[in-house]
Amino acid sequence: MIQVHKIFLSVLVLLASSTVCMTQTHKYPFQRGDGDLLSELSWSPRNDLILTSSGDANGLSLWEVNSGKLLWKTDIGFLQDELELYSIRHSAWTTDQRLILTGTDNGKLQLWDTRNGKLIWNIEAHAGSVTAIAISPDSRIFVSSADLGNWKSELKVWSLADGGLLRDLSPNQKDVSAVRFIDANRFQSGNGFGQVTTWSASVFRAIATKHLSPCGTGVDVRTATVYSPDLTLLGAQCGTKLVVKEARTNKILRTLAREENSRPVSFSSDNTVLLLPDSEILHIPTTTRREFRQFDDGVLNRDGSLIAAFPSYRADGVQIFDTRTGERRQW
């Protein structure tokens, strides 16, 4: 009788545990993918998919936003050679969302099939950590930059089909932190010295260079500078102020009081929303500011209407918030 009673209790415990697991899975659908430190998060061009990468969990994952469904998860442990850092820090999508390009701490670049997470190629591209990547609109070529230390940078152009090097533009490059394509024939690079260079994507040479001097300190002074995805705006930390400038006219759009050494800001792709880490969002055209206490940092979607948020890059799932109302849409 005692033995039967123990078996009955064991069954109850198992049923209870199963119910809790099912409840948690239903409540927190994202947690099956990333439970550790996130190193990269990006929205797809159509805002319907989210890519996440966790260095601690050696994983690259793709999620469906509306359902919270994990589409696939791929191991990335093979990217590490010795004991060096190898986390994925940057990602870029082809316009049709069929391919995803990623760049790592140890200077490698990878191309993945969005449908199944299959690796297409992996190349040892740079001598330092990748700082930016961009794919041409026709998915023919891509550009990447990397940090060599002492503000020196590498800047290279590659074939997307096979990862073959087309041109090394690294000589005289300094602190390159942003790249983007204007169209299939031109791309731009931006650096921490407020210099934006336009390049030919056919003959691979500089067409024009603009010095923005975001803090008014001259062309030889480096400033903590972040560019919008299309490099038409920049945010520079000038002492205790954040200066938002328009690159084309060099006009100051906004000046905000902000503590020195604050974490980097980020722009939505349509340049209407500016995220200031530590829970604040600025709507640039109207200067409306909204505080968010639910998260510390995140990534804005293309029109700035949604933010994929995570507390200090420590993943407890990825939460999707409406930036206009503060309402949580997904977890």
Side-chain angles (χ1 to χ4, degrees):
M1 182 67 180
I2 294 174
Q3 186 67 25
V4 172
H5 183 64
K6 287 182 177 179
I7 293 173
F8 178 70
L9 287 175
S10 298
V11 171
L12 286 178
V13 170
L14 288 172
L15 287 173
S17 299
S18 177
T19 301
V20 170
C21 290
M22 288 175 65
T23 302
Q24 288 180 342
T25 302
H26 175 72
K27 186 177 181 182
Y28 308 121
F30 279 90
Q31 288 187 325
R32 291 174 297 138
D34 296 300
D36 296 297
L37 197 68
L38 286 181
S39 60
E40 173 61 356
L41 186 157
S42 67
W43 293 81
S44 65
R46 293 195 293 268
N47 296 326
D48 58 336
L49 303 173
I50 282 181
L51 182 78
T52 63
S53 182
S54 173
D56 291 354
N58 284 336
L60 181 70
S61 304
L62 189 69
W63 306 93
E64 187 176 68
V65 175
N66 288 337
S67 66
K69 180 182 178 182
L70 177 63
L71 300 179
W72 50 256
K73 184 173 184 178
T74 299
D75 180 81
I76 61 170
F78 70 91
L79 297 176
Q80 185 178 32
D81 293 325
E82 301 293 339
L83 295 176
E84 84 282 6
L85 297 174
Y86 66 99
S87 295
I88 290 175
R89 300 288 178 184
H90 298 276
S91 57
W93 302 63
T94 53
T95 305
D96 60 11
Q97 299 192 169
R98 292 185 178 181
L99 301 171
I100 301 173
L101 179 68
T102 55
T104 64
D105 279 329
N106 58 2
K108 294 181 180 180
L109 297 168
Q110 305 81 38
L111 188 67
W112 310 86
D113 189 324
T114 309
R115 296 169 298 179
N116 51 28
K118 180 181 178 181
L119 178 69
I120 297 174
W121 52 251
N122 173 42
I123 59 173
E124 295 183 1
H126 293 285
S129 178
V130 176
T131 57
I133 49 180
I135 302 173
S136 63
D138 57 5
S139 301
R140 182 177 57 88
I141 63 174
F142 70 93
V143 180
S144 63
S145 61
D147 177 26
L148 299 181
N150 297 319
W151 309 132
K152 293 182 180 179
S153 293
E154 287 184 334
L155 182 66
K156 297 181 179 182
V157 186
W158 312 83
S159 165
L160 188 68
D162 58 7
L165 179 64
L166 299 177
R167 188 63 60 90
D168 188 347
L169 304 173
S170 302
N172 303 317
Q173 295 304 309
K174 299 190 300 181
D175 195 32
V176 177
S177 59
V179 292
R180 72 106 174 190
F181 276 83
I182 301 172
D183 50 41
N185 300 311
R186 297 171 298 165
F187 65 89
Q188 289 181 309
S189 61
N191 68 15
F193 295 86
Q195 177 178 303
V196 176
T197 302
T198 302
W199 302 83
S200 166
S202 55
V203 295
F204 306 122
R205 67 183 180 193
I207 300 172
T209 299
K210 191 161 193 171
H211 298 279
L212 301 175
S213 301
C215 298
T217 50
V219 298
D220 296 324
V221 179
R222 183 195 177 273
T223 306
T225 303
V226 173
Y227 294 86
S228 63
D230 64 1
L231 269 71
T232 61
L233 299 180
L234 64 85
Q237 187 70 39
C238 304
T240 57
K241 294 181 179 179
L242 175 70
V243 176
V244 179
K245 264 192 171 186
E246 187 180 61
R248 183 178 60 84
T249 62
N250 212 8
K251 176 184 176 182
I252 295 178
L253 300 179
R254 300 285 180 266
T255 301
L256 308 172
R258 197 160 185 260
E259 293 183 5
E260 292 187 77
N261 301 317
S262 295
R263 285 183 290 172
V265 301
S266 58
F267 295 86
S268 61
S269 295
D270 66 354
N271 297 327
T272 60
V273 179
L274 176 67
L275 172 64
L276 296 89
D278 301 319
S279 312
E280 192 170 12
I281 285 176
L282 170 71
H283 188 260
I284 297 174
T286 63
T287 70
T288 302
R289 300 174 75 162
R290 174 184 289 278
E291 290 188 1
F292 282 82
R293 294 301 174 195
Q294 302 97 322
F295 61 88
D296 297 324
D297 207 348
V299 178
L300 293 159
N301 69 348
R302 298 183 71 82
D303 63 4
S305 62
L306 298 174
I307 182 169
F310 37 87
S312 301
Y313 278 70
R314 177 61 62 181
D316 184 17
V318 176
Q319 301 182 54
I320 310 297
F321 289 92
D322 187 313
T323 59
R324 295 160 295 188
T325 64
E327 176 188 0
R328 188 173 66 201
R329 295 283 189 86
Q330 290 283 355
W331 191 339

